[in-house]
Amino acid sequence: MIDFAYRAVHEMTVKSKTLIATYYGRQARLAYWNGCSTGGRQGLKAAQRFPEDFDAILAGAPANSNPPARLDRGHRYRRN
């Protein structure tokens, strides 16, 4: 099982580059990541952990799963 949090994007990238090289008979010249929200967060994580995977990363509005940022929401949904 692949770690969905960050390693899945890396594994997909490695396998996709192999598939492209096999099909076209040569490596792709460039590799880009373009994502927004969760895709933006995945792009930032890919840049941190596997910087060699992409030549450019466009990470728009990266989703933030920081628990302190959600403290204000907890009381609204609490049942009394």
Side-chain angles (χ1 to χ4, degrees):
M1 179 169 195
I2 301 301
D3 180 358
F4 179 73
Y6 69 89
R7 214 175 76 215
V9 172
H10 171 68
E11 293 293 327
M12 174 208 55
T13 302
V14 170
K15 287 173 179 41
S16 296
K17 287 181 177 185
T18 301
L19 181 69
I20 289 167
T22 301
Y23 185 81
Y24 289 103
R26 65 176 179 85
Q27 297 289 329
R29 283 189 315 116
L30 299 170
Y32 300 108
W33 176 270
N34 181 14
C36 192
S37 191
T38 296
R41 180 186 53 77
Q42 290 171 323
L44 292 180
K45 189 55 75 175
Q48 290 173 338
R49 295 199 178 243
F50 307 102
E52 69 284 351
D53 281 358
F54 299 103
D55 297 297
I57 294 175
L58 302 171
N64 184 358
S65 61
N66 187 1
R70 292 183 290 195
L71 289 176
D72 67 318
R73 293 187 220 151
H75 67 88
R76 289 187 224 161
Y77 303 107
R78 187 174 44 205
R79 291 170 54 142
N80 293 328

